[in-house]
Amino acid sequence: MGARTDPMNDQHTGPSTPPAPADPDRTATGAEPDGPVVRGDPPVSEESTSRDRGPRFDGARGRWVGASVPRREDPRLLAGRGRFVDDIQLPRMLHAGFVRSTPAHARITSVDLKATREIDGVVAAYDAADLDLGDIVALLDRPTEEFSPTAMPILAKDKVRFVGEPVALVVGRDPYCVEDAIEAAVVTYEAHDAIVSEDTALAAGAALVHEEAPGNVLLDVSMFDTPGVDDAFDAAASDGCVVEVLTRTGRQNALPLETRGVVAAWDDHDEQLLVQTCSQVPHQVRTVLARSLRIPERMVRVTVPDMGGGFGQKCVVGREEIAVAAAARRLDRPVKWIEDRREALTAGFLAREQRYRSRAAFDAQGRITALDVDVVCDMGAYSCYPFTAGIEPLMASAEMPSVYRVPAYRVRGRAIATNKAPTAPYRGVSRPQYVMAIERLMERAARELGLDPVEIRRRNVITEFPYTGINGVTYDPGTYRESLDLAEQTLREEGWYELRERAAAEGRYLGIGYCCFSERTGYGSEAFAKRKMQVVPGFDISEIRMDTTGSVVVTSGTMNHGQSHETTLAQIVADRLGLDIDKVKLRQGDTERIVYGWGTFASRSATIGGSAVSIAAARLGEVLCDIAAHLLQTRPDQVRLDGRGGVVQVDDPSRRISFEDIADVAYLRAHLLPKDVEPTLSATASFDVPGDGTFSNATHAVVVETDPGTGQVRILRYACVEDCGVVIHPKVVDGQCRGGIAQGIAGALFEEITYADNGEPSAASFIDYLVPTATEIPDITVSHLETPCAFTENGAKGAGEGGTIGAPAAVLNAINDALRHTGVELDTTPVHPQTVLAALDGAPERDTPRPPQKASSPA
């Protein structure tokens, strides 16, 4: 039980050899710096340095952070040892399914479950009256003329509002008898007119989706009507240009590989309901579940096993999970529900259906002088919890100016209710849409003024930081101009401009498109509070504990669903403590173990969660140093974390002590501790991004070829130049970029759910919902610039959503460039082949000469 080595002995080595330090003068792709590569430790305040950063840590930056170490998750997942919700099998477990609405808009006149209950193997069947659960209500602190709160019942009560809405819950011995029992249910309806479009929703005298939402408007907010908007448009009409675009984006499904699911069981011993589910926000699920069942939160424990993707769809609270948990408590038996793909496509949370009517004024030099936008977001039948139906129009309104200097701005944002499945956040949340709108304005103005599309961006992009925009948002330093220049340089040096001209001479339709954008990441409490949410996300909490072997377990309120948190957060901790990464274990997704957490969404894990674990690790390091100084009989300011595998030492290399030996004293020989040090090696920290948060940025450059005979669009080249601050794990970041771009391409060219006039969704399987395969996604190159963030502990900015944000605009711009000689311009996504053919059929001329363009002048 004694110490394994003499505390005064220097015979200690780490369990494995760390990777070579990342070269601070090389980009994350391994290339030598060329131009605007920013390196070095992130700037921090003097207070932060002395209190949190652990001044006694002697490890160089890049020992673990910046290295593409093997992912900790891979051995388990690749060997098939991952544990997902559907893998969970419990004794006496039952299975659940839902009777779902067939009409899109109707009053329920009766629910007859008699035949359902008589099916062999059925244990129970419940309608809304049987379960008697509270509603889910998401609120904004806004006046009634701006926001109309609406309730989402766990099971539909008097009315159904979209095809697929859950009306009754069936529980049986196996999924097969449950399916039979669902077919036996008899629900009668009194049908109403279905509201399936913006025009029908806002028409005078339209049927109401919710009586509480007059005119089918859930949110109507006018913002930033700054002085000078009308004057700028008047001036541009006489000396410059005024351009207007009407952009629309199709309704999409986030399409995580693992659909939603839950296993719920009541534990008599702990008097607690254990809910295992695939959620990005387990603490929010616990809160809503406890309130719906009217029990204290201590009686609910939510855990998340491995999760096969979320993309935002799982960062809201679903009603099916609540109903299943209620049934498990009532039956005192475990109950499982797994969403099938048809349910996921038709009745799961959807996203993206938006319309932007945008006008911009430009002076004769191509500088934007005013922006006037009207935004309408079709949010479907209900507000999601906790973000509400305001999430998309509020995001768009607040951030529409994007990376450009806009001196005058006016915007109106509306969320409307329709008889469609409700909307939840989906990777990017309105940014792919508003970025597409403003990027189309840039393209249109470039054409009107005879400017090169890159040059007009160059004249308008923000270059001085920090920059406070007309929207009141302060943008921290980034590489907006540099990423644009490097993206253009890449395509020019590869010869794509010459190939485009040769292709035109051969009668081929080749086009080049760009998109320059920023991504606000790591929204803190201050940023979310500006939306006037009643439930305000933001902070994260981390706890770290060291055991007698010198290993640590660290908790985080973030939630991994494919982002490699087990690896990247361990890298941060290992660097802070000078510890081998193999000695760091991450725990997430358990409301009993995690004090509180907001989960993972909005690219917050590295920025907020990573900062919390970093501070907690630094505080543990302080405790280790205090104990080591006492054992080494020196002052605390004379020792430091060595950074070579878990050692504290003084300047004399012969005087050092391992973490194991410190832990041995702390737990097993506590009488040797200093009098003011408790016998424990643990620390807790919270972190919240101040102010407006931090902004990653990128430029996407795309080359496409469009076939005028078939309308098919083929992507020939895709280049991404991005800046997400300090890159913790280059391959993980590249994977995030490429995955996001694939989803952005999907929205640009393939995926869309439409509705018939009666509210019937068009896509109930992958036969109708077109998902791109590896054949349709091109090779994607990712180049990294690096501007360390001043607000986060590790210098990182978020990297989770940028790929999705930039792809639709870049692809659409490239398509329009390919069609430049036809007179056709497309402003709606997805661009299906039939869309291209219809546009070409209606084009006035196919040989319209391309307008002259002033030469681009990259810096």
Side-chain angles (χ1 to χ4, degrees), residues 24 90 177-178 247 323 355 359 436 452 476 490 557 590 614 623 645 669 703 760 794 817:
L90 299 176
C177 74
V178 169
T247 55
R355 185 273 291 161
R359 290 193 312 142
M436 190 174 89
D452 180 88
D476 61 329
T490 298
D590 188 338
S614 183
V623 175
R669 294 186 289 167
V703 183
E760 184 74 27
N794 43 52
D817 187 52

Side-chain angles (χ1 to χ4, degrees), residues 120 177 288 353 387 463 485 671 704:
D120 185 43
C177 74
V288 174
E353 190 170 1
F387 300 100
T463 55
D485 290 344
H671 64 285
V704 306

Side-chain angles (χ1 to χ4, degrees), residues 39 696 722-728 785-789 795-798:
R39 293 292 166 183
S696 297
E722 67 86 48
D723 183 345
C724 65
V726 171
V727 177
I728 295 171
L785 305 178
E786 188 173 296
T787 308
C789 177
K797 305 178 181 182

Side-chain angles (χ1 to χ4, degrees), residues 345-649:
L345 286 169
T346 61
F349 290 100
L350 304 179
R352 300 287 202 233
E353 190 170 1
Q354 301 183 19
R355 185 273 291 161
Y356 291 69
R357 191 180 301 277
S358 309
R359 290 193 312 142
F362 288 81
D363 65 19
Q365 288 72 45
R367 294 183 178 87
I368 190 169
T369 57
L371 181 63
D372 188 0
V373 187
D374 182 82
V375 181
V376 175
C377 301
D378 185 338
M379 303 302 290
Y382 294 102
S383 267
C384 64
Y385 184 93
F387 300 100
T388 81
I391 181 172
E392 294 196 335
L394 289 173
M395 170 79 82
S397 298
E399 300 186 16
M400 178 78 185
S402 188
V403 295
Y404 301 111
R405 297 185 296 267
V406 176
Y409 179 42
R410 177 167 58 215
V411 62
R412 180 187 186 189
R414 282 175 286 176
I416 62 171
T418 58
N419 294 122
K420 302 172 184 176
T423 290
Y426 173 30
R427 200 174 193 174
V429 186
S430 286
R431 284 167 287 189
Q433 288 69 46
Y434 75 67
V435 164
M436 190 174 89
I438 198 164
E439 291 294 291
R440 293 299 303 137
L441 288 171
M442 287 291 166
E443 295 280 319
R444 189 74 55 89
R447 185 193 66 187
E448 294 291 329
L449 296 170
L451 290 172
D452 180 88
V454 174
E455 178 60 24
I456 198 169
R457 290 174 170 85
R458 191 174 283 121
R459 295 182 184 186
N460 286 283
V461 77
I462 300 165
T463 55
E464 296 180 1
F465 300 95
Y467 175 84
T468 300
I470 194 69
N471 54 356
V473 173
T474 299
Y475 300 78
D476 61 329
T479 50
Y480 299 175
R481 170 74 178 265
E482 295 85 350
S483 68
L484 179 63
D485 290 344
L486 184 55
E488 183 195 33
Q489 176 186 333
T490 298
L491 293 196
R492 288 194 180 278
E493 290 181 351
E494 292 177 359
W496 287 104
Y497 280 81
E498 292 82 0
L499 180 58
R500 181 182 64 177
E501 301 311 316
R502 291 200 304 271
E506 298 166 0
R508 295 165 56 198
Y509 292 25
L510 205 73
I512 295 173
Y514 292 90
C515 175
C516 189
F517 65 95
S518 63
E519 172 197 358
R520 182 156 35 166
T521 71
Y523 291 75
S525 301
E526 289 185 50
F528 275 120
K530 290 182 179 180
R531 296 183 186 174
K532 301 182 179 179
M533 295 174 62
Q534 195 169 91
V535 176
V536 182
F539 65 86
D540 198 63
I541 299 173
S542 176
E543 180 188 15
I544 188 168
R545 302 189 312 273
M546 179 173 284
D547 62 26
T548 58
T549 68
S551 299
V552 296
V553 175
V554 60
T555 67
S556 173
T558 61
M559 192 61 245
N560 178 47
H561 48 281
Q563 300 93 331
S564 310
H565 291 177
E566 291 180 41
T567 303
T568 56
L569 296 188
Q571 287 177 274
I572 293 170
V573 171
D575 265 3
R576 273 303 182 102
L577 289 174
L579 190 65
D580 194 280
I581 195 172
D582 292 337
K583 289 203 161 191
V584 182
K585 177 65 178 177
L586 176 70
R587 298 288 187 192
Q588 291 180 303
D590 188 338
T591 59
E592 288 285 278
R593 292 187 176 186
I594 316 300
V595 175
Y596 202 86
W598 285 103
T600 289
F601 53 86
S603 299
R604 68 188 306 275
S605 295
T607 52
I608 299 178
S611 292
V613 303
S614 183
I615 297 171
R619 290 177 179 174
L620 175 60
E622 293 292 322
V623 175
L624 291 168
C625 286
D626 287 343
I627 297 174
H630 178 74
L631 297 176
L632 293 170
Q633 300 179 354
T634 187
R635 298 195 315 271
D637 62 355
Q638 296 299 305
V639 301
R640 63 181 180 273
L641 304 178
D642 181 80
R644 288 179 288 178
V647 172
V648 179
Q649 73 167 53

Side-chain angles (χ1 to χ4, degrees), residues 4 63 73 85 132 242 283 286 302 314 325 347 351 402 408 414 431 560 580 585 587 663 666 682 766 790 814 831:
R4 284 164 292 280
R63 181 175 182 265
E73 301 90 336
V85 172
D132 186 28
V242 175
H283 283 84
R286 181 185 67 177
V302 178
K314 297 175 183 176
S402 188
R414 282 175 286 176
R431 284 167 287 189
N560 178 47
D580 194 280
K585 177 65 178 177
R587 298 288 187 192
S682 66
F766 288 144
V831 179

